[in-house]
Amino acid sequence: MVQAGENLQVRLGLSRTPHVTYRMADPGTVLTEPGTLAAFGFGTGSPDSDDPRWLRVALESFDAPAPIELWQVDATVVCGQQEAVRWSSGGGWLFAAVEVNEHEAGGIESAARQAYAALCQFMGTRDERCVLRIWNYIANINDGDDDAERYKQFCDGRAAGLGDFFANGFPAATAIGHHDRQHVLQIYLLASADAGQAVENPRQVSAWRYPRQYGRTSPGFARAMLMPARDALAISGTAAVVGHASAHEGDLEAQLNETLTNLEALLATADMPAGFDTHSPLKAYVRHPTDAYRVREILQQRLPGVPVLLMHGDVCRRELLVEIDGWRYS
Ligand code: 3EB
């Protein structure tokens, strides 16, 4: 039987958002399941695979063993590699990933420029033109001071590589640091043949309007992206930023509370139901491993039953101790 919702989506030609879940499994198993668009392992201990849909993210998880993250669509998936870009597509959805070794590129700024230029060039060959969501994982993101901080160099290179690619609006994004000794910049995205709707947080200054004190090049990202079929909200990396300022310096619990308030503001702005549920996977990036237990405890209490993957990750502002991103399905 065809449900009303599916029927509507068929009529409008908008495909249902990929189903994102965490699961204890091997890449070999999940990659043979029909409809697997992408699968992610976390940490240097996670398995490797040559399949273009598999990405081993350099961030370590505090969950041991860590589950795999799975993106699944209701369609046949094809995949391949085109120069530096690994990709897969199905049902109007596109996954694309690029990894650039900083050493070979000549530093973080040129790695970011090369990576984004490669992604833009690849996107020009595709029908799935609408980039809805991007993830950026960067080694030692806070090394260097002021304008020389690596995150700021990354922002410069990203903007240079993109040119005017996002002139019509930025996708939702995450940019998080890790401590892998190999400095490989990892970037991956989800795109669609159909446009989504960017969502800003009324409690926050839009990132592309951040004042000069946060860097020469404002980060280009939307706070969240409503998916084309309006069946899910992709939530950008969200931290204790109010206005443009970092709030509650040095206070983990207050930062986490402020972050949760920001997440609720995004849901309300997007007309999504309040709160998170058992189908809405989140990630919490925690700067100090010694804070992981406390973050888990608070999130279990505040978001009962919600799948939260706890990651060791550095937020791009040194004073921020925790950041959350993820999905809210309606
Ligand atoms: C913030 O609110 C935190 O540079 O792409 C969050 C999400 C942050 C994405 C990015 C940065 C980015 O400003 C930092």
Side-chain angles (χ1 to χ4, degrees), residues 72-92:
Q72 289 168 306
V73 294
D74 301 318
T76 304
V77 170
V78 294
C79 61
Q81 173 151 1
Q82 193 172 306
E83 295 178 43
V85 178
R86 297 193 287 127
W87 62 273
S88 65
S89 69

Side-chain angles (χ1 to χ4, degrees), residues 155-185:
C155 286
D156 294 343
R158 170 171 57 181
L162 279 167
D164 61 2
F165 193 79
F166 290 135
N168 294 325
F170 294 110
T174 294
I176 286 286
H178 59 74
H179 297 280
D180 192 15
R181 287 181 55 237
Q182 287 196 49
H183 284 197
V184 177
L185 175 64

Side-chain angles (χ1 to χ4, degrees), residues 116 134 136 151 154-155 158 172-176 204 207 210 219-223 236-241 244 315-317 320 323:
Y116 271 93
I134 301 192
N136 304 275
Y151 172 63
F154 162 80
C155 286
R158 170 171 57 181
T174 294
I176 286 286
Q204 298 181 314
Y210 278 169
F221 66 96
R223 297 295 181 182
S236 293
T238 303
V241 173
H244 59 70
V315 188
C316 54
R317 297 187 191 180
L320 293 174
E323 183 172 293

